[in-house]
Amino acid sequence: MANFDLSVHGLKAPTILRNADPSQLYEEAIRYEPGTRISNSGALIAYSGEKTGRSPQDKRLVKNSASADDIWWGPVNFPLDDATFSINRERAKDYLNICERLYVVDAFAGWDPQHQIKVRVICSRPYHALFMHQMLIRPTDEQLANFGVPDFVIYNAGRFPANRYTTGMTSKTSVDVSFENGEVVILGTEYAGEMKKGIFTIMNYLMPKRGVLSMHCSATADRVTGQSSIMFGLSGTGKTTLSADPRRSLIGDDEHCWSNEGIFNIEGGCYAKAIYLSRESEPEIFQALRYGAVLENVVYDDAHHHVDFNNSTITQNTRGAYPIEYVTNAKIPCVAGHPTDVIFLTCDAFGVLPPVSRLTTEQAIFHFVNGYTAKIAGTEVGVKEPQATFSPCFGGPFLVWHPQKYAELLAEKIQKHDAKVWLVNTGWSGGPYGIGARMKLAYTRAIIDAVHSGELRDAPTQLDPIFGLHVVTRCSKVPDEILDPRKAWADVSHYEASARRLADSFAENYAQFQEGGVITGSMDG
């Protein structure tokens, strides 16, 4: 719809396109955004400029009396006063009002109609409009005609910087969220992922207020029985690879909620890492990056527009965004019943965690709140040996409430619906990184398959004396000696020393969340 009226938002422009079709956004991008191209597969190649990733230190939440007591203030959520938010919003509107062309995307977040919110995105770049067209849930013509007043509005003026001298600003980038106003303001970053995670932040606030658990996880369902499972895991744990199972239906790859009715995807699309992507390694993602998809910050050859997915000249964080229906085994609508299994993935580079353990509710809270994985040498500058890293609830940068809130909801739901919880190590065995070997993908897949089939529910276990885990000792297609990490090490004393160090780091990290004794999780169950 051309010349859409945005006067209610204090905006006007010679041309305003609302919910433009991908083909029209392609035309707009090619015509008005220098450097934009079409790949040989048909995806739109776009560039986010200086910022090629999120800016978590520049995210601000408005501190309002209505929500201030709900928010976990600190290193994740930095406060902003109402006056400064208004200044930044006015600055964004001033920029958008001098643009010749504006783009509006009216769509939904959340596949469950009971918990769905209406989102309006206003931006100056067709690339951003196409990105959010694919990432949100696209309305039908009838839904669009009756869209009404949005619940949240994103003012994306990312091409225009924040004023560093404005109170509370630490750089020229600012991503500000006001729950009370129902608004998000973006200044000084053109990275499209800020819009996606802005919506996730909103859902991470709204849903727990309703007793709904918002989660940074993937979700799949059995194609025959419909039984679902959810899988948590930080970068490098294999979550994307293990979720791409042709024998199961994909509910979603990244953001979900667990309500009284079951689970639902928040998004209408997927935002996958593209670095080192190949048809062989990730066939579902590779085939999805076609017409209508967005390829972000990739390098291509001028002659044929073949994308070099191994080229990280611009960034390691190359990305592809595409609608979920491009995934051949996607389940539409993206909803399912209560999960029978909850899987925590960790890539333990110290080589001491067992390949699979069954967790008690107390242990589930402990490992959920910790959100452990390990950095390995070469992944970041200065990392010479494995380092434990923690992200509460496997999604620390996006939490709004204290981790306790999400942990309590998880505990309540796994108990009520008899979901089994598993800790799966996709990392090293037989020693740490550099000595041991990475767990074979075939073994990890066999473990996940055994979880889904129900085989591991009755499998024998033994108690680990250091971590207190109930270690599964028998799993089809996995050698018994692999399942016990102690037996895989040449020197048991070295194993025990390394295991105790990691267990101590678990306890130390968890202690920071136990102020007042409000979290009741336990490492040993």
Side-chain angles (χ1 to χ4, degrees):
M1 182 188 298
N3 299 319
F4 183 65
D5 185 7
L6 287 177
S7 59
V8 68
H9 301 295
L11 296 173
K12 60 182 179 179
T15 301
I16 300 175
L17 301 180
R18 182 195 190 205
N19 285 55
D21 188 79
S23 59
Q24 187 175 8
L25 292 173
Y26 267 55
E27 291 178 1
E28 294 282 312
I30 294 298
R31 186 172 293 159
Y32 299 110
E33 293 193 346
T36 302
R37 296 290 184 269
I38 300 173
S39 76
N40 68 305
S41 67
L44 186 76
I45 299 174
Y47 296 93
S48 64
E50 180 183 346
K51 299 275 186 160
T52 57
R54 290 183 299 104
S55 301
Q57 296 301 308
D58 295 309
K59 186 182 83 172
R60 301 286 184 271
L61 303 183
V62 173
K63 193 167 189 177
N64 185 288
S65 59
S67 59
D69 290 342
D70 298 334
I71 295 172
W72 182 37
W73 301 108
V76 171
N77 298 307
F78 300 100
L80 189 73
D81 61 73
D82 276 307
T84 302
F85 179 84
S86 297
I87 290 170
N88 283 350
R89 181 183 56 199
E90 194 68 15
R91 189 171 176 87
K93 288 184 177 183
D94 286 346
Y95 168 75
L96 293 171
N97 271 324
I98 64 170
C99 294
E100 290 292 317
R101 313 179 76 80
L102 293 179
Y103 305 89
V104 178
V105 178
D106 282 346
F108 304 104
W111 280 88
D112 183 341
Q114 289 188 64
H115 302 294
Q116 194 171 74
I117 65 170
K118 296 185 290 185
V119 178
R120 171 166 291 167
V121 180
I122 304 170
C123 55
S124 64
R125 295 193 63 180
Y127 137 57
H128 287 157
L130 180 60
F131 176 88
M132 290 305 281
H133 171 85
Q134 306 300 27
M135 293 310 303
L136 291 170
I137 300 165
R138 293 156 290 285
T140 63
D141 289 345
E142 182 181 358
Q143 287 174 323
L144 187 60
N146 298 298
F147 193 77
V149 178
D151 298 307
F152 275 82
V153 178
I154 298 177
Y155 298 97
N156 187 342
R159 279 184 164 173
F160 198 62
N163 185 336
R164 301 173 196 235
Y165 297 102
T166 300
T167 302
M169 298 300 100
T170 54
S171 75
K172 64 181 181 181
T173 299
S174 192
V175 180
D176 308 332
V177 181
S178 171
F179 297 122
E180 285 69 31
N181 289 353
E183 294 174 315
V184 179
V185 173
I186 299 175
L187 292 165
T189 173
E190 298 174 67
Y191 179 64
E194 294 287 10
M195 294 181 288
K196 165 188 160 69
K197 290 308 183 186
I199 297 300
F200 190 38
T201 298
I202 290 165
M203 295 295 275
N204 268 332
Y205 177 66
L206 295 179
M207 292 301 104
K209 286 178 76 73
R210 305 179 184 180
V212 175
L213 174 61
S214 49
M215 307 172 291
H216 190 218
C217 68
S218 64
T220 61
D222 187 280
R223 285 188 161 189
V224 177
T225 67
Q227 289 183 330
S228 69
S229 73
I230 52 179
M231 188 180 295
F232 295 83
L234 302 176
S235 179
T237 58
K239 177 165 62 78
T240 300
T241 300
L242 293 168
S243 299
D245 185 343
R247 294 162 298 181
R248 295 178 65 81
S249 298
L250 181 70
I251 309 300
D253 73 327
D254 195 42
E255 301 172 5
H256 295 83
C257 292
W258 190 348
S259 71
N260 290 333
E261 288 70 43
I263 57 173
F264 63 90
N265 192 350
I266 291 173
E267 303 180 294
C270 303
Y271 190 38
K273 288 185 178 179
I275 194 69
Y276 309 128
L277 180 69
S278 69
R279 190 185 301 276
E280 294 70 32
S281 65
E282 303 282 3
E284 281 292 343
I285 296 174
F286 192 90
Q287 65 81 29
L289 295 173
R290 57 185 193 264
Y291 169 76
V294 177
L295 276 168
E296 195 174 48
N297 298 320
V298 297
V299 176
Y300 64 93
D301 73 79
D302 288 328
H304 306 290
H305 288 201
H306 286 285
V307 174
D308 181 359
F309 289 109
N310 295 320
N311 193 319
S312 59
T313 302
I314 298 173
T315 179
Q316 279 275 341
N317 191 37
T318 55
R319 293 274 180 166
Y322 49 90
I324 195 163
E325 56 264 33
Y326 279 17
V327 179
T328 54
N329 62 326
K331 182 180 182 297
I332 308 293
C334 302
V335 298
H338 299 289
T340 57
D341 297 282
V342 176
I343 301 167
F344 298 155
L345 298 178
T346 183
C347 177
D348 175 33
F350 299 98
V352 294
L353 287 180
V356 57
S357 305
R358 191 162 57 227
L359 304 182
T360 64
T361 299
E362 292 76 14
Q363 288 173 326
I365 293 173
F366 180 87
H367 289 282
F368 180 62
V369 169
N370 265 344
Y372 162 73
T373 193
K375 297 176 184 177
I376 59 173
T379 57
E380 291 187 12
V381 175
V383 178
K384 304 297 184 185
E385 58 184 28
Q387 292 183 1
T389 184
F390 301 95
S391 183
C393 308
F394 295 93
F398 320 115
L399 300 184
V400 178
W401 301 78
H402 188 280
Q404 171 197 359
K405 183 77 168 180
Y406 306 95
E408 288 175 346
L409 285 168
L410 179 66
E412 171 196 318
K413 293 183 184 302
I414 61 178
Q415 289 178 321
K416 183 177 181 179
H417 303 290
D418 192 30
K420 302 305 179 188
V421 187
W422 311 90
L423 180 66
V424 175
N425 176 22
T426 64
W428 270 254
S429 176
Y433 172 82
I435 297 176
R438 182 87 190 249
M439 200 74 63
K440 290 183 178 179
L441 179 59
Y443 294 159
T444 303
R445 282 198 185 279
I447 288 169
I448 300 300
D449 289 346
V451 167
H452 287 150
S453 71
E455 174 191 336
L456 296 193
R457 289 196 166 212
D458 299 315
T461 63
Q462 66 183 23
L463 188 65
D464 181 282
I466 297 175
F467 294 103
L469 296 168
H470 299 274
V471 180
V472 174
T473 58
R474 189 72 50 81
C475 178
S476 298
K477 300 181 182 179
V478 182
D480 290 352
E481 60 271 18
I482 293 293
L483 294 170
D484 185 348
R486 185 184 305 266
K487 293 179 180 177
W489 279 57
D491 189 322
V492 174
S493 65
H494 286 173
Y495 162 80
E496 291 184 347
S498 184
R500 285 197 175 91
R501 283 195 298 271
L502 184 60
D504 288 345
S505 71
F506 283 2
E508 181 182 353
N509 183 74
Y510 189 73
Q512 68 180 302
F513 302 112
Q514 287 187 293
E515 294 179 9
V518 290
I519 294 186
T520 57
S522 170
M523 180 159 59
D524 59 14

